[in-house]
Amino acid sequence: MKVTFLGTGTSQGVPVIACDCPVCSSLDYRDKRLRSSIHLEIGEKSLVVDTGPDFRQQMLREKVKTLDAIIFTHEHKDHTAGMDDIRSYNFLQKKDMPVYATHSVIQQLKREFAYVFEEVKYPGVPTVKIHEIGSDPFSVEGIRVIPIQVMHYRLPVLGFRFGDFTYITDAKYIEERELEKVKGSKILVLNALQLNHHISHFTLEEAIELVERIRPEMAYFTHISHKLGTHAEVEARLPSNIRLGYDGLKIII
């Protein structure tokens, strides 16, 4: 399995518009963060978790030529806004794009992209095949996926486990029974928004504490805001088994 971090930023991305803080002014490429998403290559299959506003740019940067399915974590705009750009894959692959999402995400997609779901479609709009998912494991192109429910303030969000790899974003609280699904992961990706308390995201300290409980071989933090600090400064203080993710980072599991 090869995992590419398409984006590792929070909803505003980094740099933030009109901000001249040290992080937003940094020349380190690792401090340039598009909205959070990952691309997985598992065998011959190509999957994406979330299609944020930067989806087109991310696919071009990583030269992703084929895409077999999209899996959504939740319905917030920074995770869904780029779905329109899947039409390039529709044209190339000559088939509907399989989309895996919960009922609430599907309803949001139908509102945001109403033209995709019309009975009589305008020529050239994206075409999708919707698969509703819940708390039970499901299969995507023969790949077993285990959903992990986390809470993003009061909004349920799904993380996903693919074999020895677990991806969780937009979490503030995870019930013990859901944490059991994560245990044994070799690689854990977890959100770590900033240093100070936030109502709907783990802080850096909270994310580190959770990694210490789960004890994966390696953990990477994502969904990072400019309030966390520069990549170089923060990573220098992290335990040896924890690194900050950055856009374009690739890991092999």
Side-chain angles (χ1 to χ4, degrees), residues 3-122:
V3 179
T4 301
F5 287 74
L6 299 174
T8 54
T10 187
S11 58
Q12 295 184 84
V14 182
V16 174
I17 292 173
C19 182
D20 58 2
C21 76
V23 177
C24 291
S25 303
S26 170
L27 297 179
D28 188 338
Y29 70 94
R30 297 172 300 178
D31 289 319
K32 313 300 182 187
R33 303 183 184 277
L34 301 177
R35 270 57 74 94
S36 290
S37 176
I38 56 169
H39 176 242
L40 300 103
E41 296 171 82
I42 305 174
E44 299 298 316
K45 300 301 180 181
S46 168
L47 313 176
V48 161
V49 178
D50 290 337
T51 60
D54 309 307
F55 176 73
R56 175 181 175 275
Q57 182 179 349
Q58 292 163 340
M59 295 294 96
L60 289 170
R61 185 193 72 211
E62 298 301 331
K63 298 179 174 59
V64 178
K65 300 297 186 182
T66 61
L67 187 61
D68 294 301
I70 297 164
I71 309 171
F72 284 112
T73 59
H74 65 296
E75 56 264 44
H76 282 168
K77 198 83 167 181
D78 56 319
H79 295 262
T80 64
M83 194 184 78
D84 182 81
D85 285 315
I86 66 168
R87 51 192 161 142
S88 295
Y89 294 110
N90 292 144
F91 303 155
L92 288 169
Q93 297 168 186
K94 295 180 172 53
K95 65 175 185 178
D96 298 345
M97 179 63 67
V99 169
Y100 294 78
T102 63
H103 179 76
S104 62
V105 175
I106 293 166
Q107 295 307 114
Q108 180 68 8
L109 294 176
K110 288 181 176 180
R111 289 191 294 271
E112 294 287 340
F113 301 95
Y115 56 93
V116 172
F117 299 92
E118 294 286 352
E119 276 192 37
V120 180
K121 294 180 175 61
Y122 184 84

Side-chain angles (χ1 to χ4, degrees), residues 166-177:
T166 297
Y167 179 77
I168 295 172
T169 185
D170 290 68
K172 181 63 175 180
Y173 172 74
I174 308 176
E175 286 188 0
E176 200 61 40
R177 65 181 181 183

